[in-house]
Amino acid sequence: MRSSNEGDEVMANRVAPALAVGLIGGLVAALLLAVVATSARAETYCAPGPCTGGTEAATILEAVEMADSNAGPDTVLIQPGTYNTPKEACGGLFVTEPDTHVRGAGIDQTILTFPPLEPTDGFSRRVICGYMHLSDLTLRLPSAVTPTHNSSVEGLDLYGGLVERVKVDAVGATFGPSINDGRGRAMLLRTGAAHDIEVDFEPEQDTEGIATGYLTELHDITVRAKRAALSSRVNQEPGLPPMTVSRVSLHSDRPLTVLNESGVDARMELSDALLDASSVPPGEGSTGVTVVNGLPPETAELALDRATIVGNGGPESTAMQVFGQGEPKPTVLEARHVAATGFERTLGIGLFGSGGVVAKIDYSNLDLSPAKVFQEGTEGTATTVFGPGNRPGDPLFLAPAGGDYRLATGSPAIDIGGDDLIVGDPTDLGDNPRPTDGDGDGVVLADAGAFEHETVVPGPGTPPPSPRSNPEPQPRPTEPQPPPKAWVRFLGNALHLSRRGVVRLRLRCADGERSAPCHGTLKLRTRGRIRIGGKRRRLVLARGGFQIAAGHTATLRLKLRRGKAKLVRRNRKARRVVAIATADGGGEHAASDRRIVPAGRKAKHR
């Protein structure tokens, strides 16, 4: 808590006798109280000097100390550039007040870091730590190759507050040699809230993503790390609502781990999530979701809705596992609208306490046959409830090798049905409306997975495809056949760039496409050469895959990375683009000139 301002105490002592002298004394008192209120107004400090935009501070540390010591929600505005933070009380730049706003000039414009650890360093360093509101900057981890036990580097240790629009990376850094020595971790979020976070680590480096305690909310998060993309030790206080996590894209060997470490029942609700372990080498184990009761006798619960879980196909891979420990309450997993593939086992159950395990899975596209469910341990009981609405079979992702996990026509995940287990956004993880009539039968039903299939628009005289089974394979001709002259056609004029960096294009597959459906790759690049880093070149803004039934039209979604979306919004030349569709396995392609209109701007018709 902030200490009282000594000047304020003096003013209050002067006001008290003034109140007894009538009207004049009352006016004096009012004036003095106005001065007191003015002294608590919010201030902005810019650093490092020389700088503009607020009261100048010579260093970032000096600006933080001034903001922390003054009453009011003060802001520390850090200028563009790369800066080393000092090693203060918690091993990094220390902020003590949750209403102190530490704000940069933007992601990749303001970068906070510190020098690499020396081989003899026996401590953990953090870029920044404490109570704060942190936003609009990049935290960059340095190298941490050291044999010293438990040495590590970390981007942020948040005791409490808010984190938004922050990126954590480790450009050019190396870590190791083991998980305890020289580890790199993006964030530890103890309490508070976080959204619009990107963690971008090299997959082969010894790194971890985000670890949390109890957060009121965690949403719009992307994590790429080698281990533990999101590990939540839910330390929930009595009477608090469940921890809510939504719109996350997690890539690592263990995308999600949930543990209870509180003195009450702890529950997490996770929705609209991509949990991707496909990049892990097949010889290594991988698990999409793990739920563990870490502090019996209370329980741990995870409710999971609208999730895509992808494995590496390894012999020790499991899509979801639930471990019961202690007594008397069970560990609970409740899952709905899950599309899972690429795992040796779908569900693993561990019985290590009399409380046992409860697993409920319905309206999901996954394999729950006895061969895909395994159990270990003998303490307690396992209660499993599978169905209604579950469907086996390959989810038929559009281009899984390229990370495109949208559903292709004919996927058993389409229109699987079932009410939402967790109330979510009206759009899916790719910003497409949900639910939609994915199979074109006139009935709007939810799909399984994080991505809703695009609404089917049947062509003249063409029946809609059935989502209940995979389409029959087309026979291959014995003689080479000439490619059709027109196999896809772009529809519409201007392309609209959403605030989340998403561009949508409409394509139609020709009625006479011989090797139906039309399938291939889609690329969006600038029409002219753009000056970047002193050179002029044509820039590929986004790539994706597609699969469209003959005679049908589909809306395709391309997501631009943050930097490229920013370029398009700021650079008029970058908004003049060419959309190129290329057929898989051949040279046929279609191209169309387009103009991108960022959100908030009006399209100019010419």
Side-chain angles (χ1 to χ4, degrees), residues 287-307:
T287 304
V289 176
T290 301
V291 189
V292 180
N293 186 0
L295 192 66
E298 312 307 334
T299 188
E301 298 183 8
L302 172 65
L304 182 64
D305 198 358
R306 305 183 299 279

Side-chain angles (χ1 to χ4, degrees), residues 283-535:
E284 300 181 14
S286 64
T287 304
V289 176
T290 301
V291 189
V292 180
N293 186 0
L295 192 66
E298 312 307 334
T299 188
E301 298 183 8
L302 172 65
L304 182 64
D305 198 358
R306 305 183 299 279
T308 296
I309 310 178
V310 187
N312 65 342
E316 298 297 324
S317 60
T318 306
M320 298 175 285
Q321 58 186 15
V322 193
F323 292 148
Q325 298 179 177
E327 58 181 356
K329 298 180 180 179
T331 305
V332 179
L333 169 66
E334 189 174 4
R336 180 173 294 172
H337 299 138
V338 173
T341 188
F343 294 95
E344 179 69 17
R345 300 166 295 200
T346 302
L347 178 65
I349 295 173
L351 299 177
F352 307 113
S354 62
V357 163
V358 173
K360 301 177 181 179
I361 305 172
D362 57 18
Y363 296 102
S364 294
N365 177 201
L366 38 69
D367 188 351
L368 288 170
S369 63
K372 292 289 186 176
V373 179
F374 82 97
Q375 179 176 312
E376 56 181 329
T378 58
E379 299 180 55
T381 58
T383 301
T384 57
V385 180
F386 299 153
N390 290 329
R391 296 177 187 163
D394 187 341
L396 296 181
F397 298 130
L398 274 177
D404 188 345
Y405 298 116
R406 291 174 297 162
L407 304 175
T409 300
S411 167
I414 296 173
D415 279 16
I416 205 164
D419 295 333
D420 285 347
L421 180 63
I422 302 170
V423 177
D425 292 339
T427 57
D428 66 4
L429 192 58
D431 292 322
N432 293 309
R434 118 174 282 171
T436 62
D437 179 13
D439 59 4
D441 65 355
V443 181
V444 176
L445 296 173
D447 295 348
F451 302 96
E452 188 82 358
H453 182 63
E454 299 288 345
T455 300
V456 172
V457 182
T462 304
S466 170
R468 304 296 184 250
S469 60
N470 296 343
E472 291 295 328
Q474 299 294 321
R476 294 176 179 262
T478 56
E479 297 295 332
Q481 300 293 320
K485 294 182 179 180
W487 60 287
V488 292
R489 180 164 57 92
F490 289 91
L491 304 178
N493 294 310
L495 306 177
H496 294 272
L497 177 67
S498 75
R499 299 188 187 278
R500 296 180 183 273
V502 176
V503 170
R504 293 183 177 86
L505 301 93
R506 295 182 64 225
L507 256 68
R508 179 174 178 80
C509 180
D511 293 341
E513 167 61 14
R514 303 184 187 186
S515 56
C518 297
H519 58 92
T521 58
L522 186 63
K523 178 170 66 176
L524 194 67
R525 68 162 174 81
T526 59
R527 187 190 308 175
R529 299 180 184 274
I530 308 297
R531 183 176 295 279
I532 300 175
K535 297 182 179 180

